Amino acid sequence: MSTVSTTVNVSGMTCAHCISSVSEELEALAGVEQVDVDLNSGGISTVTITSAGDLSASEIGEAVAEAGYLVVANQA
């Protein structure tokens, strides 16, 4: 089975604790193998999720919300 890479933008993250919280919630989702965060303190951070299969936008959004942050749309 091939891996799937999903990238989402998250607002409100400012520090290493934010990264840890979001990563912990996302890694708890079934099939998630790795979470990489490109922190933009005070702005929109980029979170890349590597998983064994497709993840729904709703399950990603719920996991990020559980950590206290918000998935936002790509900036045009």
Side-chain angles (χ1 to χ4, degrees):
M1 179 181 280
S2 62
T3 57
V4 177
S5 180
T6 307
T7 302
V8 294
N9 294 318
V10 178
S11 69
M13 298 173 64
T14 59
C15 63
H17 176 40
C18 300
I19 293 171
S20 177
S21 296
V22 169
S23 295
E24 183 177 310
E25 291 296 334
L26 290 169
E27 287 167 353
L29 296 176
V32 172
E33 298 170 357
Q34 184 174 344
V35 176
D36 293 306
V37 178
D38 181 13
L39 181 67
N40 180 5
S41 184
I44 305 299
S45 299
T46 304
V47 179
T48 303
I49 307 152
T50 304
S51 59
D54 289 329
L55 299 171
S56 73
S58 62
E59 67 184 329
I60 293 171
E62 288 171 15
V64 171
E66 185 68 29
Y69 306 97
L70 181 66
V71 172
V72 295
N74 290 332
Q75 300 296 314

